[in-house]
């Protein structure tokens, strides 16, 4: 988790820009300008949340995408973007209640392919911030491979992984585990409460993105400094 | 059809508002000034907020930085500081800050620091301004147009039936009027024919403009008085007068009248003060009707008018004491009807005075007539006509200068004791400071009282005056009113010319300070300490009346009521322009808070007190109160500056 182990995302994104075939993807990669040494205070961020029909990108699909641009000083909730997209696989009853999205909403929604340009433009030049990165990365990659026959990769800050550093991998957390105590929850809601953040109604992509952005601001205020290089956080 | 269409439209509108903004909207909708916004404006705010997080201890706003949004605390708590670094305010969930700076150059005036981990919603400046132009209540709250206090007081007065209903509304028919030369038989016949219970008696115009009226034929006349059914019984039949007696012989004047555009509140007070049942109503100089007590009662089923009558018909102190529940009921009713603090204070003082007068009558009946003339003097809140339901008795006896202690004091000691015990039984507890007619020191002839006042004013020190300020609210209740008027005149004449006295009074007026405001369920003190309750009399109304008294003494006012005093003060240049109005609003606001909470106590069968728990104060009330406390604090500081200790003695 130190800067030394951190991938050189600037170089990787530049290689991807050269290799990308889809113009929307190429635009996305080319917009990336941030070396890993950039202090956090200067990093444009974008909280990203996907709502999906399940956890497995091979069987489940994206139903909504929320993006909230922000930086360490201010979360631009007023500039948030939110898309509902039609899933590839049929919606199961359980997820319906989870997302407050109904079948008729989805029937009228566009395919992700139609809004992909908008989604990527909203992220362009910004470092995505997510809570539990495997979902966002894997689902976007899978969705793009299905539609464009090429995937996507990008750096993220994962607020859950940051919590795990302190509450799962730290010496104290291991001691706790060794003593047989229940581990501290690092889910979004519980993590937020540790920083005095209010309880939000979960499972709306834009609101979860806002909740994630707030959590990162809180984590940086508590554990890092605005001068911390971004490579200390991303993965 | 229309309903269906409407429903469909509503449904589609609801779909348009993103549910993530709904979360923010729901929170905003719980707190002023957002709680009063229309749905459309509330949606607009919720849609347009940005967000920021601040760790406990971090600076949110620094002095002189630019500011482009209104800050709304979603969670956490912050402290606001003054220029000198002193704590100005502590704010919590649902509070706003930054509006002051947004309205003035977009530069931060008061720095703000997070004292807990804090999440704020930022309402962009252009939205803030739009709310200010489109929503009057929002503008009031952030003081876009006028001070928040003033609008708070005005708004509450708005729905008060008694305070806003004009007398003319209750006048259903013209008065019966007769010339003073007609016989009582003719007058009675006219009344019977018109189903009237009273008749106005007109005489020849005598040049006194006060009673000049326009008679039905358009000629000028003089209103001599009112004759009522009861007068025909008591002054004609009971006295054995023949039906041929001219009405001029039995009419008693001069009459008390009221203008038709006065409020019912004013009419009620007028009747209470003069113990009247019939009140002639004039439109300019034309009599337009007669208002009867029952007209008002029918209009506002009010019990305080009846109470005064009932007080005077009770035959013993025990019977008087049994009226206590009625007094409380009348009080609660007035509060519920939205009467303001002046109406309530005046009505309760009238009730208190009536108890005192009746007790004096009963006392004299038991002890015999007084050996020398006396005046029973009210001090403190009763003298100011500002009593509430929680009050103790402060009174004294001013005796004729022919008073001889050896021969007469036994009588007055007994009378004082009788009244004092009676008042205590009626709910007016004994004065803990002993300022009662039972105390020999306060049962003295007029010349001794003069010496007291001359001494207080001429040889003042803050310590000596500490317990004497109550004597500078004085009024007669019963007996030789002239005695107390002489003392009032003496004070009004000497006080303005004694800077040392004013300085000592000003010093004492600053002893009891208001709190800073409220924070969660605590009372915030200026040093950051928090308390569970606030004594709103000790910390609010009392220091306010104290400081008003000092200015009133300085300008030689003989008024006793704080609002009357403010009128007198406003006519001088003692206070910067507009300040006396702001003090008036603040006093009204704090007084009503105290009164309303006493009414709530009574409704819950709790003994009423002057204490208020912060959890019982609504968010909007908190903001207004904080302003009022701030104003009181500033006015106290100004007082010390305005009446400094004269240099030669310091």
């Amino acid at each position: 988790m130190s800067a030394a182990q951190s991938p050189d995302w600037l170089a990787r994104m530049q290689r991807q820009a050269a290799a990308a075939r889809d113009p929307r993807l190429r635009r996305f990669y080319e917009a990336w300008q941030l070396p890993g040494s950039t202090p956090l205070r200067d990093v444009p961020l974008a909280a990203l949340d996907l709502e999906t029909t399940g956890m497995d990108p091979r069987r489940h699909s994206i139903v909504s995408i929320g993006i909230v641009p922000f930086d360490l000083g201010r979360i631009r909730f007023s500039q948030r973007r939110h898309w509902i997209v039609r899933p590839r696989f049929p919606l199961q009853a359980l997820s319906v209640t989870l997302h407050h999205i109904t079948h008729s909403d989805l029937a009228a929604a566009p395919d992700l392919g139609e809004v992909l340009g908008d989604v990527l433009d909203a992220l362009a030049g910004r470092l995505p911030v997510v809570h539990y990165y495997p979902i966002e990365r894997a689902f976007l990659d899978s969705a793009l491979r299905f539609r464009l026959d090429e995937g996507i990769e990008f750096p993220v800050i994962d607020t859950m992984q940051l919590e795990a550093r302190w509450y799962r991998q730290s010496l104290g957390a291991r001691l706790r585990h060794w003593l047989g105590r229940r581990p501290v929850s690092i889910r979004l809601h519980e993590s937020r409460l540790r920083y005095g953040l209010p309880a939000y109604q979960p499972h709306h992509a834009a609101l979860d993105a806002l909740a994630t952005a707030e959590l990162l601001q809180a984590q940086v205020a508590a554990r890092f400094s605005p001068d911390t290089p971004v490579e200390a956080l991303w993965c | 059809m229309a309903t269906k269409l409407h429903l469909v439209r509503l449904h589609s509108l609801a779909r348009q508002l993103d549910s993530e903004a709904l979360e923010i909207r729901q929170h905003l909708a719980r707190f002023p000034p957002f709680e009063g916004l229309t749905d459309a404006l509330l949606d607009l705010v919720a849609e347009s907020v940005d967000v920021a997080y601040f760790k406990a201890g971090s600076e949110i706003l620094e002095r002189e930085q630019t500011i482009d949004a209104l800050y709304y605390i979603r969670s956490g708590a912050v402290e606001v500081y003054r220029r000198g670094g002193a704590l100005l305010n502590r704010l919590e969930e649902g509070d706003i800050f930054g509006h002051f700076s947004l309205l003035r150059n977009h530069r931060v005036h008061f720095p703000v620091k997070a004292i807990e981990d804090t999440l704020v919603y930022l309402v962009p400046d252009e939205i803030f301004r739009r709310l200010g132009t489109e929503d009057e209540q929002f503008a009031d709250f952030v003081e876009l147009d006028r001070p928040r206090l003033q609008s708070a007081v005005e708004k509450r007065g708005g729905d008060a039936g008694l305070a806003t209903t004009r007398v003319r509304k209750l006048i259903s028919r013209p008065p019966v009027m007769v010339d003073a030369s007609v016989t009582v038989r003719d007058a009675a016949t006219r009344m019977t024919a018109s189903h009237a219970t009273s008749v106005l008696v007109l005489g020849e115009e005598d040049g006194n403009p006060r009673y000049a009226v326009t008679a039905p034929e358009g000629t000028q006349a003089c209103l001599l008085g009112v004759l009522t059914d009861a007068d025909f019984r008591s002054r004609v039949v009971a006295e054995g007068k023949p039906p041929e007696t001219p009405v001029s012989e039995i009419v008693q004047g001069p009459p008390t009248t009221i203008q038709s555009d006065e409020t019912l509140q004013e009419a009620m007070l007028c009747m209470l003060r003069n113990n009247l049942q019939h009140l002639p109503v004039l439109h300019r100089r034309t009599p337009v009707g007669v208002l009867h007590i029952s007209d008002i009662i029918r209009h506002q089923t009010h019990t305080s008018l009846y109470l005064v009558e009932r007080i005077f018909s009770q035959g013993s102190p025990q019977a008087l004491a049994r009226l206590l529940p009625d007094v409380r009921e009348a009080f609660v009713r007035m509060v519920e009807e939205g009467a303001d603090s002046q109406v309530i204070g005046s009505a309760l003082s009238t009730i208190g005075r009536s108890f005192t007068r009746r007790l004096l009558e009963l006392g004299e009946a038991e002890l015999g007539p007084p050996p020398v003339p006396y005046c029973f003097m009210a001090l403190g809140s009763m003298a100011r006509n500002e009593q509430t339901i929680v009050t103790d008795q402060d009174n004294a006896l001013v005796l004729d200068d022919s008073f001889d202690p050896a021969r007469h004091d036994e009588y007055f000691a007994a009378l004082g004791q009788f009244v004092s015990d009676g008042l205590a039984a009626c709910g007016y507890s004994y004065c803990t400071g002993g300022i009662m007619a039972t105390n020999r020191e306060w049962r003295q002839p007029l010349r001794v009282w003069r010496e007291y006042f001359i001494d207080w004013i001429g040889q003042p020190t803050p310590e000596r005056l500490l317990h004497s300020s109550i004597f500078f609210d004085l009024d007669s209740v019963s007996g030789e009113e002239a005695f107390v008027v002489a003392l009032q005149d003496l004070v009004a004449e000497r006080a303005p010319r004694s800077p040392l006295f004013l300085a000592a009074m000003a010093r004492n007026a600053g002893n009891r300070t208001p709190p800073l405001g409220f924070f969660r369920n605590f009372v915030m003190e200026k040093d950051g300490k928090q308390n569970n309750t606030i004594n709103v009399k000790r910390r609010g109304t009392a220091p306010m009346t104290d400081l008003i008294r000092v200015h009133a003494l300085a300008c030689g006012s003989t008024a006793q009521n704080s609002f009357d005093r403010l009128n007198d003060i406003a006519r001088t240049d003692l206070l910067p322009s507009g300040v006396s109005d702001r003090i008036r609003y603040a006093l009204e606001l704090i007084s009503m808070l105290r009164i309303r909470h006493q009414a709530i106590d009574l409704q819950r069968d709790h003994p009423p007190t002057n204490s208020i728990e912060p959890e019982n104060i609504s968010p909007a009330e908190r903001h207004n109160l904080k302003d009022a406390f701030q104003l009181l604090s500033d006015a106290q500081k100004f007082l010390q500056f305005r009446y400094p200790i004269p240099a030669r003695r310091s």
Side-chain angles (χ1 to χ4, degrees):
Chain A
M1 51 228 78
S2 69
Q5 294 171 307
S6 179
D8 181 359
W9 275 107
L10 184 57
R12 264 163 90 171
M13 296 292 268
Q14 281 166 352
R15 280 199 302 277
Q16 290 286 357
R21 295 189 303 274
D22 188 279
R24 293 168 293 188
L25 261 182
R26 195 180 317 123
R27 209 161 62 225
F28 170 73
Y29 288 125
E30 280 170 354
W32 184 267
Q33 304 283 342
L34 293 171
S37 58
T38 313
L40 283 174
R41 70 165 87 248
D42 296 332
V43 179
L45 304 158
L48 168 68
D49 186 75
L50 302 183
E51 301 296 320
T52 58
T53 56
M55 299 294 277
D56 182 355
R58 287 165 308 176
R59 294 191 296 119
H60 301 121
S61 36
I62 300 170
V63 288
S64 70
I65 302 167
I67 294 176
V68 177
F70 75 113
D71 56 36
L72 282 196
R74 196 172 284 195
I75 301 167
R76 305 284 170 182
F77 187 64
S78 57
Q79 294 167 29
R80 71 193 175 278
R81 300 297 304 271
H82 183 237
W83 298 269
I84 293 179
V85 291
R86 199 166 58 239
R88 274 196 292 154
F89 308 106
L91 203 60
Q92 286 156 9
L94 177 71
S95 349
V96 175
T97 55
L98 220 64
H99 301 289
H100 307 280
I101 296 171
T102 63
H103 288 94
S104 55
D105 287 332
L106 294 175
D111 182 82
L112 176 61
E114 297 171 48
V115 298
L116 184 65
D118 289 344
V119 173
L120 290 177
D121 284 350
L123 291 171
R126 296 184 169 271
L127 173 59
V129 178
V130 301
H131 195 77
Y132 190 54
Y133 76 96
I135 288 278
E136 273 72 18
R137 259 200 201 149
F139 270 86
L140 273 183
D141 186 60
S142 164
L144 262 66
R145 280 183 197 286
F146 172 73
R147 289 175 181 82
L148 308 178
D149 202 24
E150 60 178 323
I152 184 170
E153 69 167 349
F154 49 87
V156 295
I157 291 178
D158 181 359
T159 50
M160 181 161 143
Q161 197 200 48
L162 294 179
E163 286 300 287
R165 286 191 199 178
W166 306 308
Y167 294 103
R168 289 291 160 78
Q169 294 140 24
S170 69
L171 206 59
R174 283 171 196 182
L175 189 66
R176 242 179 106 87
H177 178 71
W178 185 66
L179 290 171
R181 302 260 183 85
R182 239 184 106 202
V184 173
S185 170
I186 53 175
R187 297 176 60 176
L188 182 57
H189 177 76
E190 284 76 10
S191 300
R192 285 170 56 82
L193 295 185
R194 281 195 285 279
Y195 297 91
L197 289 165
Y200 283 154
Q201 187 189 6
H203 299 300
H204 181 293
L207 192 61
D208 279 357
L210 171 66
T212 306
E214 290 172 2
L215 177 58
L216 182 72
Q217 280 197 343
Q219 288 171 328
V220 172
R223 312 268 186 180
F224 300 101
S225 103
D227 300 321
T228 307
V230 63
E231 63 198 358
L233 279 75
W234 72 21
C235 58
Chain B
M1 265 318 274
T3 316
K4 224 177 214 171
L5 195 71
H6 186 59
L7 275 177
V8 169
R9 232 183 248 147
L10 270 182
H11 180 71
S12 62
L13 272 178
R15 298 288 313 164
Q16 278 170 19
L17 179 67
D18 292 338
S19 56
E20 76 271 19
L22 212 58
E23 173 93 29
I24 291 166
R25 182 193 202 274
Q26 281 165 355
H27 197 269
L28 290 166
R30 285 168 47 208
F31 296 93
F34 302 101
E35 63 177 1
L37 292 181
T38 62
D39 285 353
L41 283 178
L42 201 53
D43 288 347
L44 179 71
V45 180
E47 290 285 323
S48 59
V49 296
D50 284 336
V51 183
Y53 175 88
F54 297 90
K55 189 164 125 59
S58 60
E59 304 283 340
I60 298 178
L61 290 174
E62 286 174 48
R63 179 182 307 290
E64 293 303 320
Q65 83 168 70
T66 55
I67 177 169
D68 60 354
L70 175 72
Y71 285 64
Y72 171 88
I73 302 177
R74 173 59 175 82
S75 63
V78 307
E79 280 184 350
V80 186
Y81 303 93
R82 281 178 186 287
R83 195 163 286 275
L87 181 60
L88 177 66
N89 206 353
R90 192 172 289 169
L91 302 172
E92 60 186 297
E93 180 174 346
D95 284 328
I96 57 171
F97 59 94
H99 45 298
F100 184 83
S101 305
L102 277 182
L103 295 171
R104 294 165 184 82
N105 314 329
H106 294 80
R107 295 263 169 210
V108 171
H109 285 64
F110 304 118
V112 180
K113 191 172 163 183
I115 55 169
E116 292 174 7
D117 293 341
T118 298
L119 190 72
V120 294
Y121 291 159
L122 301 132
V123 180
D125 187 33
E126 70 265 22
I127 302 289
F128 169 72
R129 281 176 196 275
R130 198 168 145 193
L131 295 177
T133 45
E134 294 188 17
D135 190 285
E136 194 186 335
Q137 171 251 341
F138 186 93
D140 284 348
F141 191 90
V142 300
E143 297 185 43
L144 274 170
D145 299 327
R146 54 198 173 142
R148 192 194 295 162
L149 268 178
Q150 179 178 349
S151 54
V153 169
E154 281 172 1
K155 198 158 66 192
R156 265 198 321 89
D159 55 358
L162 282 175
T164 53
T165 310
R166 308 276 170 206
V167 168
R168 61 171 171 263
K169 201 183 158 198
L170 296 198
I171 298 302
S172 50
R173 56 178 181 180
V176 178
M177 291 187 266
V178 298
D179 191 83
S181 59
V182 305
T183 63
V184 292
R185 185 208 302 267
D186 289 344
T189 311
R190 291 275 312 275
M191 284 169 70
T192 307
S194 322
H195 304 285
T197 58
S198 64
V199 60
L200 300 186
V201 180
L202 303 183
E204 285 206 11
E205 204 205 342
D206 62 353
N208 184 347
R210 200 164 158 199
Y211 306 108
V213 294
T214 309
E217 311 82 42
T219 53
Q220 294 303 302
C222 170
L223 181 61
L224 295 177
V226 190
L227 278 184
T228 66
D229 277 352
D231 294 329
F232 283 91
R233 169 168 41 79
S234 59
R235 293 191 212 154
V236 182
V237 181
E239 302 211 336
K241 289 200 169 141
E244 288 71 34
T245 312
V247 290
S248 59
E249 231 174 76
I250 57 164
V251 69
Q252 287 186 345
T256 304
T257 64
I258 193 160
Q259 285 291 320
S260 62
D261 61 346
E262 284 285 2
T263 61
L264 284 187
Q265 175 175 307
E266 195 54 45
M268 187 189 93
L269 285 176
C270 180
M271 290 167 125
L272 280 172
R273 261 187 233 119
N274 299 293
N275 201 11
L276 292 175
Q277 304 224 347
H278 292 83
L279 190 61
V281 180
L282 306 183
H283 174 64
R284 306 224 170 93
R285 293 201 181 283
T286 309
V288 292
V290 178
L291 189 69
H292 189 258
I293 263 195
S294 62
D295 296 329
I296 301 184
I297 291 168
R298 226 174 291 130
H299 183 72
Q300 288 278 329
T301 57
H302 218 290
T303 52
S304 61
L305 291 151
Y306 274 145
L307 254 177
V308 172
E309 267 186 72
R310 290 179 61 197
I311 287 169
F312 281 103
S313 62
Q314 302 303 313
S316 70
Q318 294 74 21
L320 284 172
R322 282 195 290 274
L323 291 177
L324 183 58
D326 299 276
V327 175
R328 293 184 159 181
E329 193 191 330
F331 171 77
V332 170
R333 202 170 287 191
M334 278 190 280
V335 176
E336 283 176 342
E337 282 167 3
D340 64 22
S341 82
Q342 288 185 71
V343 170
I344 294 170
S346 185
L348 284 183
S349 302
T350 302
I351 289 168
R353 285 161 186 261
S354 302
F355 273 121
T356 312
R357 275 190 207 145
R358 184 59 187 154
L359 284 164
L360 283 163
E361 286 172 9
L362 294 171
E364 285 187 26
E366 194 174 305
L367 301 166
V372 299
Y374 72 91
C375 182
F376 196 86
M377 177 164 73
L379 302 161
S381 62
M382 188 191 279
R384 294 196 311 271
N385 280 332
E386 292 168 17
Q387 282 196 305
T388 70
I389 204 74
V390 180
T391 187
D392 54 1
Q393 47 173 305
D394 302 295
N395 50 54
L397 274 167
V398 185
L399 308 165
D400 188 83
D401 282 341
S402 62
F403 169 76
D404 173 3
R407 286 190 298 144
H408 305 139
D409 195 47
E410 194 185 344
Y411 175 91
F412 288 110
L415 185 66
Q417 195 68 51
F418 185 90
V419 174
S420 185
D421 291 347
L423 284 173
C426 293
Y428 303 86
S429 50
Y430 295 110
C431 170
T432 50
I435 297 172
M436 291 180 290
T438 49
N439 189 332
R440 178 188 288 264
E441 202 181 355
W442 313 128
R443 193 173 66 234
Q444 293 290 336
L446 179 57
R447 64 184 144 75
V448 175
W449 277 105
R450 283 179 182 280
E451 281 161 24
Y452 286 167
F453 278 100
I454 290 168
D455 190 46
W456 281 324
I457 297 171
Q459 309 290 328
T461 64
E463 297 71 31
R464 287 192 64 200
L465 290 176
L466 197 56
H467 302 292
S468 312
S469 67
I470 195 166
F471 290 100
F472 292 89
D473 302 333
L474 69 167
D475 202 14
S476 82
V477 175
S478 184
E480 301 296 323
E481 192 182 349
F483 293 175
V484 173
V485 171
L487 294 174
Q488 288 174 341
D489 289 345
L490 182 149
V491 171
E493 190 192 312
R494 290 184 180 238
R497 290 185 283 147
S498 173
L500 196 59
F501 168 72
L502 294 173
M505 291 291 277
R507 174 82 68 83
N508 287 342
N511 285 347
R512 295 181 286 194
T513 56
L516 196 57
F518 303 95
F519 179 72
R520 296 198 176 131
N521 287 336
F522 297 102
V523 181
M524 274 287 301
E525 300 296 344
K526 289 193 178 99
D527 58 5
K529 282 202 189 107
Q530 302 184 342
N531 291 315
N532 292 323
T533 63
I534 171 180
N535 183 317
V536 77
K537 178 188 177 189
R538 195 180 306 137
R539 308 292 301 281
T541 53
M544 199 67 105
T545 52
D546 282 349
L547 77 90
I548 293 168
R549 183 189 304 110
V550 179
H551 290 300
L553 288 166
C555 72
S557 164
T558 54
Q560 307 297 318
N561 177 266
S562 295
F563 294 97
D564 293 343
R565 282 172 165 171
L566 282 169
N567 288 339
D568 287 349
I569 295 163
R571 280 190 275 272
T572 70
D573 54 4
L574 283 173
L575 287 175
S577 100
V579 171
S580 65
D581 278 343
R582 289 207 288 281
I583 293 177
R584 174 190 309 274
Y585 297 128
L587 176 61
E588 174 65 20
L589 193 96
I590 303 175
S591 301
M592 277 317 295
L593 180 83
R594 178 183 174 210
I595 286 168
R596 274 203 306 279
H597 280 260
Q598 290 175 350
I600 291 169
D601 283 340
L602 287 172
Q603 284 166 316
R604 292 179 183 165
D605 277 332
H606 296 166
T609 64
N610 291 316
S611 287
I612 291 174
E613 296 71 37
E615 59 261 37
N616 294 329
I617 308 175
S618 74
E621 245 174 351
R622 287 172 180 226
H623 284 274
N624 293 329
L625 264 178
K626 200 176 74 59
D627 289 354
F629 287 144
Q630 183 60 53
L631 187 130
L632 169 56
S633 181
D634 292 346
Q636 284 183 326
K637 284 181 198 130
F638 179 77
L639 201 65
Q640 315 293 326
F641 158 82
R642 187 74 186 70
Y643 307 106
I645 306 279
R648 62 195 162 87
R649 296 289 284 268
S650 59

